[in-house]
Amino acid sequence: MRSFLFHRYLLTFLLLSGFSARGFSQTAGYFPAEGPFSRAIFDSTFEKALYKGTFDISKHHLSGLFFMKRTSSTSIRILFSNELGINFFDVELKDDQFIVHSCFPSLNKNSLLKLLENDFHLLLIPEKNIKRMKRVKSKDPEQMVYRITSSRGSFRYSYDKASGHILRIQTLRAFLGKTDLRVYGDGGLQPRKIHITNPTIRLHIRMTFLSN
């Protein structure tokens, strides 16, 4: 019954939002010093993905489904709801904007929303306006690590040496605290698992892939 209610809610949400899978495009991958290293965790073929997941902040625990969908060449929408159809947040990355369509009252705090904007930007949007990058020593011989400075800040990118896929992104200097984003998978179109942590405010987001 819960599953039926959620999927009915999700279908209504998609129809009302006017989601469209047309017009997908993405900036070509960035190539650092050597190897076919990507600049984005989700590549240009990404259209939509459904993940089950948990959202923990301080002592509060939420669980449900994360639905992410590209709605245009410059826009991606992220919905986090439980199986009863209760909407925890519905946000959108559009060009350089972060649009909050709805948000559960206890989560509707400027500092948290700003952090979510930065975290989802790291996960879903390729880094642009790179000013400086430097390869640094990696403790893992199977990985290559680059320190990247862009108009958005300083980051540490860890890549799988064989595939060039991003494995981890860490913020090096951040007013709201350092984010540590890790992805796990088999080299498919999207990660099988995603972990995002921010120890400053004890935020932990965990996602496990379900379907496209």
Side-chain angles (χ1 to χ4, degrees):
M1 183 65 181
R2 289 185 176 183
S3 179
F4 171 77
L5 288 172
F6 172 75
H7 285 95
R8 186 175 67 177
Y9 166 80
L10 186 59
L11 177 61
T12 303
F13 169 82
L14 297 178
L15 291 173
L16 291 176
S17 300
F19 276 17
S20 171
R22 296 175 294 177
F24 295 151
S25 66
Q26 186 170 325
T27 307
Y30 181 73
F31 293 87
E34 52 187 291
F37 297 120
S38 62
R39 180 170 59 173
I41 293 172
F42 288 85
D43 67 16
S44 59
T45 62
F46 169 70
E47 296 184 7
K48 63 183 185 297
L50 181 67
Y51 286 79
K52 67 177 180 180
T54 58
F55 185 102
D56 295 281
I57 180 167
S58 189
K59 297 180 180 179
H60 303 288
H61 173 81
L62 300 172
S63 63
L65 298 174
F66 289 87
F67 184 69
M68 300 180 287
K69 184 176 179 68
R70 188 185 298 278
T71 56
S72 75
S73 61
T74 59
S75 176
I76 297 177
R77 196 136 171 194
I78 305 106
L79 170 69
F80 178 39
S81 299
N82 68 12
E83 293 185 353
L84 293 176
I86 296 175
N87 185 5
F88 296 127
F89 60 74
D90 172 13
V91 297
E92 182 178 4
L93 294 168
K94 185 174 184 179
D95 297 313
D96 293 326
Q97 303 177 67
F98 184 68
I99 302 170
V100 180
H101 293 284
S102 65
C103 187
F104 207 64
S106 61
L107 302 178
N108 195 5
K109 304 181 186 306
N110 288 336
S111 57
L112 177 58
L113 291 174
K114 184 62 180 177
L115 189 60
L116 290 178
E117 175 185 1
N118 293 336
D119 291 348
F120 285 127
H121 198 288
L122 285 176
L123 177 65
L124 296 164
I125 306 297
E127 195 60 52
K128 300 177 181 178
N129 303 318
I130 295 176
K131 299 177 180 179
R132 183 173 179 270
M133 68 173 302
K134 178 182 179 182
R135 184 178 172 184
V136 297
K137 186 176 181 180
S138 172
K139 295 180 180 179
D140 188 336
E142 301 300 320
Q143 295 183 16
M144 296 185 72
V145 179
Y146 287 86
R147 178 169 177 154
I148 295 174
T149 302
S150 74
S151 57
R152 296 184 60 249
S154 297
F155 309 94
R156 182 183 175 96
Y157 277 66
S158 299
Y159 294 87
D160 177 70
K161 186 181 290 186
S163 67
H165 292 156
I166 296 171
L167 301 175
R168 186 179 185 184
I169 304 176
Q170 299 163 275
T171 56
L172 299 179
R173 293 191 299 271
F175 175 74
L176 294 173
K178 295 181 179 180
T179 291
D180 190 348
L181 188 161
R182 299 172 186 247
V183 295
Y184 308 85
D186 53 9
L189 298 180
Q190 58 279 309
R192 310 307 295 180
K193 292 186 177 182
I194 300 168
H195 293 172
I196 303 173
T197 62
N198 187 294
T200 303
I201 63 170
R202 290 184 287 173
L203 172 66
H204 299 271
I205 300 173
R206 296 176 177 86
M207 305 183 202
T208 301
F209 178 74
L210 291 177
S211 67
N212 292 114

